[in-house]
Amino acid sequence: MFKIGCHLSSSDGYLAMGKTAVSIDANVFQFFTRNPRGGAVKPLDLEDIAAYNAFARENGIAEILAHAPYTLNPCSDKAHLRKFARDTMADDIRRLEHVDRAMYNFHPGSHVGQGTEAGIEMIAAALNEVLFPEQKTLVLLETMAGKGSEVGGRFEEIRAIIDKVMLADKLGVCLDTCHVYDAGYDIVGDLDGVLAEFDRVIGLERLKAIHINDSKNPFGSHKDRHETIGNGALGLEALKAVINHPRLRNLPFYLETPNELEGYRQEIALLRGLYEEA
Ligand code: FE
Ligand code: FE
Ligand code: ZN
């Protein structure tokens, strides 16, 4: 079964997102856990979550991806911002424990000049503080474009973080097609080679989700600007190969392209048309 969906607004709650997803023929979706710029969060609405869980079961909605605010920085050089990142992640995970088939995705962070190794240490320390043995929510580290002082642009950096986390069985990876191409992994010319490298360095069993985006910028640009499907540097053929690759085709795919709902509906239909049923 092809699991395909897109980023949705979470402002009206879980049940509303589920209904919106179904209305555009999506069977997975992503959303921000709170305002991506600030930290404001609505009170936990257990009735909405229970209604969503029932709706998702009835309508065949699979894994959903809760995206941490992208302003969180667990490896900031300021202690209060590191604490804010940890507190926010802990609260997000605690809330997600109520939601069926939810995973939690976050950007590892930016070391802001402290160096990649120091950044890796602080990111792992944050995870060691927030993860707990009974949690069922899987936490995904997103592969980054390597913009500025971003950590996570190299597979080795993701692996180094995982290696320092005690409850590493709670961790997975989300591969963003725009980010890895911008980072210098040629998924257009050599998808098999990139996946072999991912497998060697991280292990493909860690790969739990794909952000399926085209890129506005050329290979290795370290920019991170998403483009609509088929209209960027990756192109339709490369993205078709990604969704059909035997090692990827059963994963959930989430569009984060610059679109309103109608654009997402069209891209979901386009990708469904390109997916080869086994
Ligand atoms: Fe992201
Ligand atoms: Fe992404
Ligand atoms: Zn991005």
Side-chain angles (χ1 to χ4, degrees), residues 30 32 67-68 70 105-107 142-144 174 176 179 211 224 226 256:
Q30 174 180 270
F32 285 123
H67 197 308
Y70 48 73
N105 177 73
F106 79 107
H107 295 180
E142 181 168 354
T143 60
M144 302 309 293
C174 173
D176 186 308
H179 295 180
H211 283 164
D224 187 3
H226 303 186
E256 302 177 305

